[in-house]
């Protein structure tokens, strides 16, 4: 395996805000707690250890044991769950939607970044324990974002009706997807493993939450991964005081809006990822997940007939906390309230909205976690790597936009200057002397001189056209091959990790895939990785 590294800001795929954060731009300091450097975890451990209630640990462990009741967890995972009761144990967390069959491959990169960071921290801080956590976004309702995965450029889609939190969705209809992959993946040992994995996850579990938990546990249980479902009554009960601050005081709306304005004042190019609402909770019950909105002192569940007075809503919250589902602004707070967490690992878009939240956390006296950009990687096969070498491309070249790459390559290989303008000018200069000579001797020769000049220019024109045609044929071959290669590595002119499902790489690498990625991904390296295998 060979690993090449490219700075995130040189890839062209990361926002100015995230690149400035990675560079430690001083103007951004008010929006994060500590930069994710190994030496900075010592203070983060001390702060979170002091600020995290012991009673929350017991509730967390009890809830996790219930969530794992029907899961064949590894001894490592069971040990990690039990260790969360100890005040010296902390978590490293990543979160992700319940994408069908993991969705894009960066799902794996997120979790592996999380696992690898915990292992690194264990070496650096042996007096503490560290647990990798995958937070399942079971309460999301954006079904269209998760109901498919791509395989060899085609969408494999689950067609069913959905409402409410996707985690509660029944797995009905996924047998049709199973038939598609059965006819698509082939009959190799690796293909048969993937088909069995899909079958056990999605056809033998009743809900999408159960299926996703099984799948993530099968892939990463041996590494001690702990999977958390926030759609849990006991865990939500810990959130009640903060839900009240949101709904009845609109605290996050005021504070986060101010933070956004401050961020925007730093740079016009900072793209604000999410905006807070006056109330940042949904009402989640049965098959509905709808926003809670307030009007003239009455609280309505949007697009339903359900409504409450302020007193009734408080009683509902105390009796049924599981019915209050945080949105993207409130969910990070929920996570940090129930977990002894040190660091959140996410993509650029996620970190962008986390950077809006620090002042909100401070107002509630909740420790703000360190924010780490997950590992990003481009996996290049041996065959593709050979093509890169033959085309004399650098790894940085591959990240250029398509037109930029083509133009750069054409300029590089076009070492013949097919422009005969200088030669034509020289002919004109030479014939100028001949015109003078004919004028002085016999003017009847002027026509012959002119004809000869035209003949020679036409000859140059014909030669120029032939050379141009030949060069175009040559360049077309380069352009076609270059386009094919870049389309393989950057499907739909996007990062591979956002398009490719892990199954495509598993079909090639098999059981070696995850160990290969575990070895290659370095969470604190702070560079985009190109992995040639």
């Amino acid at each position: 395996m060979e690993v090449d590294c490219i700075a995130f800001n040189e890839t062209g795929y990361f926002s100015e805000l995230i690149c400035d954060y990675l560079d430690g731009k001083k103007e951004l300091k008010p929006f994060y707690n500590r930069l994710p450097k190994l030496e900075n975890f010592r203070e983060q451990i001390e702060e979170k250890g002091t600020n995290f209630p012991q009673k929350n640990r017991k509730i967390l462990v009890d809830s996790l044991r219930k969530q794992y009741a029907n899961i064949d967890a590894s001894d490592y995972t069971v040990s990690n769950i039990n260790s969360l009761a100890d005040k010296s144990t902390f978590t490293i967390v990543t979160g992700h939607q319940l994408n069908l069959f993991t969705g894009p491959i960066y799902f794996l990169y997120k979790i592996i970044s999380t696992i690898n960071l915990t292992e690194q921290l264990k070496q650096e801080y042996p007096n503490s324990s560290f647990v990798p956590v995958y937070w399942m976004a079971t309460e999301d309702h954006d079904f269209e974002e998760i109901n498919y995965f791509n395989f060899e450029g085609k969408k494999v889609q689950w067609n069913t009706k959905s409402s409410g939190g996707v985690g509660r969705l029944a797995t009905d209809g996924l047998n049709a997807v199973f038939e598609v992959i059965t006819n698509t993946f082939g009959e190799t040992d690796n293909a048969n493993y993937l088909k069995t994995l899909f079958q056990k996850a999605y056809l033998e579990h009743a809900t999408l939450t159960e299926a996703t938990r099984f799948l993530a546990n099968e892939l990463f249980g041996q590494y001690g991964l702990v999977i958390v479902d926030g759609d849990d009554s006991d865990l939500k009960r810990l959130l009640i005081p903060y839900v009240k601050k949101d709904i009845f005081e609109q605290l996050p709306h005021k504070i986060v809006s101010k933070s956004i304005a401050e961020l925007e004042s730093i740079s016009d190019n900072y793209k604000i990822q999410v905006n807070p609402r006056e109330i940042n909770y949904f009402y989640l019950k049965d098959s509905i997940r709808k926003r809670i909105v307030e009007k003239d002192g009455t609280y309505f569940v949007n697009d339903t007939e359900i409504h409450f007075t302020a007193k009734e809503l408080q009683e509902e919250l105390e009796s049924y906390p599981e019915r209050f589902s945080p949105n993207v602004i409130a969910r990070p707070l929920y996570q940090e309230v129930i977990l002894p967490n040190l660091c959140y690992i996410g993509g650029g878009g996620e970190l962008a909205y986390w950077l809006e939240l620090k002042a909100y956390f401070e107002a509630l006296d909740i420790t703000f976690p360190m924010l780490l950009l997950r590992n990003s990687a481009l996996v290049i096969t041996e065959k593709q790597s050979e093509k890169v070498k033959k085309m004399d491309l650098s790894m940085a070249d591959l990240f250029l936009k398509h037109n930029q790459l083509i133009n750069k390559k054409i300029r590089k290989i076009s070492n013949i200057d097919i422009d005969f303008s200088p030669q034509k000018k020289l002919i004109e200069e030479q014939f100028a002397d001949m015109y003078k000579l004919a004028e002085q001797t016999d003017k009847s020769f002027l026509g012959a001189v002119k004809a000869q000049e035209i003949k020679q220019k036409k000859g140059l024109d014909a030669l120029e056209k032939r050379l141009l045609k030949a060069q175009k044929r040559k360049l077309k071959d380069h352009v076609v091959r270059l386009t094919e290669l870049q389309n393989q590595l950057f499907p739909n002119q996007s990062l591979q990790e956002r398009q490719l499902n892990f199954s495509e790489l598993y079909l090639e690498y098999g059981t070696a895939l995850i160990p290969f990625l575990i070895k290659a991904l370095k969470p604190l390296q702070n560079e985009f990785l190109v992995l040639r295998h």
Side-chain angles (χ1 to χ4, degrees):
M1 176 180 65
E2 296 181 38
V3 180
D4 291 298
C5 303
I6 298 173
F8 283 110
N9 61 5
E10 293 178 2
T11 67
Y13 285 95
F14 294 83
S15 70
E16 181 179 313
L17 173 59
I18 293 305
C19 291
D20 285 351
Y21 170 69
L22 296 176
D23 289 340
K25 186 172 181 175
K26 64 179 182 179
E27 288 86 353
L28 289 176
K29 182 64 180 76
F31 302 95
Y32 61 86
N33 198 356
R34 297 174 181 90
L35 288 174
K37 298 179 180 179
L38 195 59
E39 62 270 20
N40 289 346
F41 277 90
R42 185 178 305 278
E43 290 183 352
Q44 191 75 17
I45 290 169
E46 293 173 358
E47 181 181 351
K48 188 67 177 185
T50 301
N51 202 26
F52 190 76
Q54 185 64 28
K55 65 179 180 64
N56 290 20
R57 290 182 177 273
K58 183 180 186 307
I59 294 170
L60 173 64
V61 171
D62 288 345
S63 288
L64 287 173
R65 286 171 178 166
K66 292 176 185 176
Q67 291 182 18
Y68 271 82
N70 298 317
I71 287 289
D72 184 17
S74 69
D75 291 342
Y76 196 177
T77 293
V78 172
S79 175
N80 275 343
I81 291 173
N82 293 334
S83 76
L84 287 168
D86 193 290
K87 65 180 181 180
S88 64
T89 298
F90 300 91
T91 63
I92 304 297
V93 178
T94 193
H96 198 68
Q97 296 170 296
L98 308 190
N99 294 73
L100 184 63
F101 212 38
T102 78
I105 196 172
Y106 71 81
F107 171 82
L108 271 66
Y109 300 165
K110 276 185 167 183
I111 292 178
I112 291 171
S113 297
T114 305
I115 290 168
N116 283 352
L117 181 55
T118 60
E119 294 301 318
Q120 196 170 354
L121 290 172
K122 288 174 185 177
Q123 297 299 317
E124 186 71 15
Y125 301 100
N127 293 329
S128 298
S129 298
F130 305 94
V131 174
V133 169
Y134 160 44
W135 181 286
M136 294 190 295
T138 55
E139 297 178 59
D140 280 3
H141 58 258
D142 296 322
F143 182 64
E144 289 74 19
E145 292 184 5
I146 68 164
N147 68 341
Y148 71 94
F149 65 92
N150 295 319
F151 183 79
E152 295 183 345
K154 297 180 181 179
K155 182 180 285 190
V156 180
Q157 186 166 326
W158 176 22
N159 296 309
T160 190
K161 293 182 179 180
S162 171
S163 60
V166 295
R168 302 180 180 188
L169 188 63
T171 53
D172 301 338
L174 279 165
N175 55 321
V177 176
F178 180 64
E179 290 180 11
V180 172
I181 67 173
T182 297
N183 296 327
T184 304
F185 282 7
E187 295 296 334
T188 65
D189 290 343
N190 293 340
N192 289 332
Y193 169 78
L194 290 173
K195 287 183 282 188
T196 300
L197 181 63
F198 186 96
Q199 182 178 29
K200 288 183 176 180
Y202 293 100
L203 305 189
E204 298 178 13
H205 289 88
T207 67
L208 191 55
T209 290
E210 294 173 6
T212 304
R213 183 188 289 115
F214 175 87
L215 180 61
N217 182 68
E218 283 293 303
L219 294 174
F220 296 107
Q222 64 178 305
Y223 300 100
L225 182 70
V226 173
I227 303 160
V228 175
D229 176 12
D231 190 4
D232 182 293
S233 179
D234 292 332
L235 295 178
K236 288 277 184 75
R237 193 162 293 281
L238 296 174
L239 193 60
I240 289 176
Y242 308 98
V243 180
K244 290 180 179 179
K245 292 279 187 183
D246 189 305
I247 293 178
F248 301 110
E249 298 180 30
Q250 299 185 356
L251 187 66
H253 180 258
K254 299 170 186 175
I255 296 177
V256 177
S257 295
K258 184 173 182 290
S259 294
I260 289 173
E262 291 170 352
L263 273 170
E264 290 179 320
S265 71
I266 297 174
S267 172
D268 293 336
N269 295 323
Y270 285 178
K271 181 181 179 183
I272 299 306
Q273 199 69 20
V274 295
N275 286 285
R277 296 187 180 276
E278 287 80 3
I279 296 174
N280 294 284
Y281 283 84
F282 295 89
Y283 189 74
L284 178 66
K285 184 181 179 183
D286 301 326
S287 61
I288 67 166
R289 185 182 187 244
K290 297 291 184 180
R291 287 173 48 214
I292 300 171
V293 295
E294 183 269 339
K295 185 177 180 181
D296 298 329
T298 300
Y299 295 84
F300 298 88
V301 178
N302 217 24
D303 300 326
T304 75
E305 299 297 321
I306 303 171
H307 60 276
F308 304 90
T309 64
K311 182 180 179 181
E312 289 170 340
L313 191 60
Q314 290 196 49
E315 291 173 350
E316 183 82 356
L317 175 59
E318 295 286 350
S319 301
Y320 306 102
E322 70 277 6
R323 294 179 181 176
F324 293 77
S325 176
N327 72 1
V328 67
I329 289 289
R331 193 273 306 159
L333 180 76
Y334 178 30
Q335 169 189 300
E336 299 303 312
V337 165
I338 69 171
L339 294 173
N341 190 45
L342 302 176
C343 178
Y344 183 78
I345 298 178
E350 291 175 283
L351 264 55
Y353 70 71
W354 273 89
L355 288 169
E356 303 172 15
L357 303 178
K358 181 170 179 281
Y360 170 41
F361 275 60
E362 289 175 338
L364 296 174
D365 194 28
I366 300 296
T367 297
F368 195 65
M370 299 165 80
L371 304 177
L372 178 61
L373 185 64
R374 64 167 173 82
N375 280 126
S376 283
L378 171 64
V379 180
I380 299 183
T381 65
E382 184 177 354
K383 185 177 180 180
Q384 290 167 336
S385 183
E386 286 300 317
K387 289 181 180 179
V388 171
K389 290 178 182 178
K390 287 181 180 179
M391 294 183 190
D392 193 25
L393 297 169
S394 69
M395 289 301 158
D397 286 341
L398 296 174
F399 286 83
L400 293 171
K401 298 304 180 186
H402 183 66
N403 287 337
Q404 292 176 313
L405 177 60
I406 297 301
N407 291 339
K408 181 176 180 179
K409 186 62 179 176
I410 288 175
R411 286 194 298 269
K412 188 173 183 179
I413 64 177
S414 295
N415 51 9
I416 303 173
D417 189 9
I418 308 176
D419 180 5
F420 287 176
S421 297
Q423 287 81 2
K424 292 175 183 177
K425 185 176 181 181
L426 182 59
I427 288 175
E428 290 173 356
E429 291 173 353
Q430 291 173 340
F431 272 88
D433 292 334
M434 292 184 185
Y435 284 125
K436 289 180 182 178
L437 182 59
E439 186 79 28
Q440 293 171 357
T441 55
D442 188 341
K443 291 185 180 180
S444 64
F445 281 101
L446 288 174
V449 174
K450 183 65 175 178
Q452 189 64 31
E453 180 186 11
I454 293 173
K455 182 178 180 181
Q456 290 196 28
K457 284 184 176 180
K458 284 185 177 180
L460 280 178
D461 287 339
L463 181 58
E464 184 179 51
K465 288 178 181 178
R466 291 180 64 186
L467 289 173
L468 277 171
K469 188 175 181 180
Q471 185 71 342
K472 284 180 180 179
R473 285 198 302 267
K474 178 181 178 182
L475 294 182
K476 182 179 179 181
D477 181 58
H478 278 277
V479 169
V480 168
R481 288 189 288 116
L482 192 57
T483 299
E484 289 176 350
L485 176 62
Q486 195 180 44
N487 286 343
Q488 290 174 11
L489 299 176
F490 295 84
N492 296 322
Q493 298 185 33
S494 175
L495 287 177
Q496 178 195 71
E497 62 186 30
R498 292 192 163 275
Q499 300 292 322
L500 203 70
N501 181 257
F502 87 101
S503 58
E504 289 193 49
L505 292 182
Y506 194 94
L507 287 173
E508 182 165 353
Y509 298 110
T511 56
L513 175 62
I514 290 179
F516 160 61
L517 294 174
I518 290 275
K519 183 178 179 181
L521 302 184
K522 310 294 183 185
L524 298 177
Q525 189 165 337
N526 203 22
E527 291 178 299
F528 195 105
L529 305 177
V530 180
L531 311 179
R532 291 181 285 172
H533 190 268

